[in-house]
Amino acid sequence: MGAYGLVGVATDGAWPEDLLGYGGGLGVLALVLHVAVRWRAPHADPLLIPVAMLLNGLGLALIHRLDVAEDTAFAERQLAWSAVGLLLATLVVVLLRDHRWLRRYTFTAMVVGLVLLVMPLVPGLGRNINGAQIWVRVGPIGFQPGELAKIVLTVFFAGYLVTARDTLSLVGPKVLGLQLPRLRDLGPLVVAWLASLGVLVLERDLGTSLLFFGLFVAMLYVATQRFSWIAIGLVLFAGGAVFAWSIFAHVQARVSAWLDPFSSAIYGKSYGGSYQLVQGLFGFAHGGLLGTGIGQGRPQIVPEAESDFILATLGEELGLTGLLAVLVVYLVLVERGLRTAVAVRDGFGKLLAGGLAFAIGLQCFVVAGGVLRVIPLTGLTMPFLAYGGSSLVANWMIVGLLLRVSDAARRPAPAVPEPEGAPVVPDEAGSAATQVVRL
């Protein structure tokens, strides 16, 4: 609410009249989720909702700031999607009483995930936007099925790996001190690699391809604790990256824009150039250490500033200090998810919570690395912060699942009933009711 109010002060010289209405509405939805958590999951992690609300609210303020500059209405739609996301997170907490119930639908989740991934390729249903075939439009509603696919595929990976981890972790030859898996056990990893390449080739979606394969390799390592899976995954990733770069023009364009963005030939390209990346870097430089202040910069000159480059908007108006603060908030969110994975008692819950937390962390790294020119741009958006209904709703559902798993992780263990007829040993003071020896 503070950031939203500062936008009004900076642009109109007064606090927005609808500040209490928008802020109060969002607060009521957060209160509904909080009450549902206290009712159905009273031991859930208390930091997850405030952290997600902070990022969601800051994103709304930044998108509103761009709306004022460009005379658009993205913030109103984002607010509506925020309401949908909060309600779905509430339903996850209320209806899903035990996260282990999801394990029954391991292979159903696999089928649903694959269907979601190929939906954009269906003629008449998929939409090509900015060169990527990743959108589906049904009537007036358009969404990215890949955002939901990462949730259901995480459920599938968790269910599959918790069943097969003994085979994947205990059997295999040892070469140079590194225990390798058997060739026949490489099947799931090769399938995940080929599926990620399929997403890259058919949908031209570099971000989802990278997220999908990275998520599977990370969960495979968590399940088996074998470094060899990481090594094999890196080799496959390097081979796939070189293959994609040598074959596909859109991958070559992104790599060229990353390596030499200030080249006049690349900067001036109408498609696949580096204009967006360079403008974002100029925005970071303009913001400096403390930023220009909300509403005082010019982030609207960066193409797609409300979605792909929302971090450039943040960096220009809140500076390096604000950017690092927001990245720390993301770090807290991921850390709470990983802490849940460590604390929960069942293997499926460990893999599910760890996979969901890693998905958020990997997505943040890929987006921030692309905008800051650490790695090539991928087309992913910053969770909770960037404009996009599909991403926002999916990330709120992830928060709902983490709340459910964290409730199981933090719930006190049930007391073990005393066996009947157990002998009672008196203590040193002679009391016969203070110590029980279990046989």
Side-chain angles (χ1 to χ4, degrees):
M1 287 180 64
Y4 182 78
L6 288 176
V7 173
V9 172
T11 55
D12 300 328
W15 291 90
E17 295 179 355
D18 53 5
L19 175 63
L20 293 179
Y22 284 144
L26 202 59
V28 168
L29 290 171
L31 181 62
V32 169
L33 176 57
H34 173 74
V35 171
V37 170
R38 296 302 302 165
W39 175 37
R40 289 294 197 186
H43 303 288
D45 193 320
L47 280 182
L48 290 174
I49 297 177
V51 168
M53 282 301 303
L54 172 62
L55 294 171
N56 196 166
L58 180 59
L60 282 169
L62 293 175
I63 295 169
H64 171 66
R65 182 262 174 275
L66 292 166
D67 280 346
V68 172
E70 300 178 312
D71 194 22
T72 52
F74 290 122
E76 292 183 5
R77 297 177 214 164
Q78 186 78 344
L79 184 61
W81 284 116
S82 300
V84 173
L86 279 161
L87 290 176
L88 286 177
T90 304
L91 288 176
V92 169
V93 173
V94 172
L95 299 180
L96 183 64
R97 302 299 300 273
D98 190 334
H99 63 274
R100 290 172 294 183
W101 178 81
L102 294 174
R103 189 178 173 185
R104 301 178 188 175
Y105 302 96
T106 295
F107 291 98
T108 303
M110 179 193 70
V111 174
V112 173
L114 293 177
V115 169
L116 288 170
L117 284 179
V118 301
M119 277 181 73
L121 301 176
V122 177
L125 192 63
R127 293 289 184 273
N128 188 313
I129 297 178
N130 294 330
Q133 188 81 16
I134 58 176
W135 284 86
V136 166
R137 178 162 289 280
V138 180
I141 300 177
F143 65 99
Q144 287 180 276
E147 292 289 344
L148 297 178
K150 71 182 178 186
I151 299 177
V152 293
L153 287 176
T154 303
V155 173
F156 163 65
F157 292 158
Y160 167 75
L161 291 174
V162 78
T163 303
R165 61 181 174 181
D166 288 343
T167 302
L168 296 173
S169 61
L170 300 177
V171 182
K174 200 168 187 177
V175 179
L176 299 176
L178 193 65
Q179 190 169 10
L180 300 175
R182 298 177 299 184
L183 286 178
R184 60 184 179 183
D185 294 332
L186 288 172
L189 183 62
V190 173
V191 169
W193 181 65
L194 292 175
S196 63
L197 276 182
V199 171
L200 176 63
V201 173
L202 301 175
E203 301 182 5
R204 302 165 66 91
D205 186 3
L206 179 61
T208 301
S209 172
L210 177 62
L211 181 65
F212 174 59
F213 186 65
L215 174 63
F216 182 73
V217 173
M219 293 182 68
L220 192 55
Y221 172 72
V222 172
T224 62
Q225 300 293 307
R226 285 175 61 169
F227 183 75
S228 57
W229 287 113
I230 297 289
I232 295 171
L234 289 175
V235 170
L236 289 175
F237 171 77
V242 172
F243 169 76
W245 174 78
S246 60
I247 298 296
F248 305 113
H250 65 285
V251 178
Q252 293 172 1
R254 295 203 175 195
V255 173
S256 298
W258 169 55
L259 293 176
D260 194 10
F262 297 101
S263 165
S264 57
I266 299 175
Y267 180 81
K269 279 186 177 179
S270 58
Y271 177 76
S274 60
Y275 176 81
Q276 184 187 36
L277 177 60
V278 170
Q279 293 302 317
L281 294 174
F282 285 162
F284 284 116
H286 187 214
L289 183 62
L290 299 177
T292 59
I294 292 183
Q296 303 295 320
R298 297 183 60 196
Q300 66 273 14
I301 65 174
V302 181
E304 309 293 339
E306 73 283 352
S307 55
D308 294 10
F309 272 66
I310 193 73
L311 279 185
T313 303
L314 178 71
E316 180 175 356
E317 302 212 323
L318 296 182
L320 178 63
T321 306
L323 177 63
L324 291 178
V326 170
L327 292 180
V328 168
V329 174
Y330 278 109
L331 192 62
V332 170
L333 181 61
V334 175
E335 188 271 341
R336 302 307 291 190
L338 294 178
R339 182 187 289 263
T340 296
V342 171
V344 73
R345 301 175 185 88
D346 64 288
F348 176 77
K350 287 182 182 296
L351 289 171
L352 180 62
L356 294 173
F358 181 80
I360 293 177
L362 179 60
Q363 189 164 343
C364 290
F365 168 75
V366 168
V367 175
V371 174
L372 294 170
R373 206 189 152 212
V374 177
I375 59 174
L377 290 171
T378 60
L380 291 175
T381 57
M382 208 65 180
F384 295 105
L385 207 63
Y387 173 73
S390 308
S391 173
L392 188 58
V393 168
N395 285 307
W396 270 115
M397 292 176 68
I398 289 176
V399 169
L401 287 171
L402 288 177
L403 285 168
R404 171 50 62 200
V405 181
S406 69
D407 176 64
R410 297 162 60 91
R411 187 184 306 145
V416 178
E418 302 294 345
E420 294 183 1
V424 178
V425 180
D427 60 7
E428 295 178 354
S431 172
T434 55
Q435 186 175 6
V436 176
V437 178
R438 299 185 180 90
L439 299 178

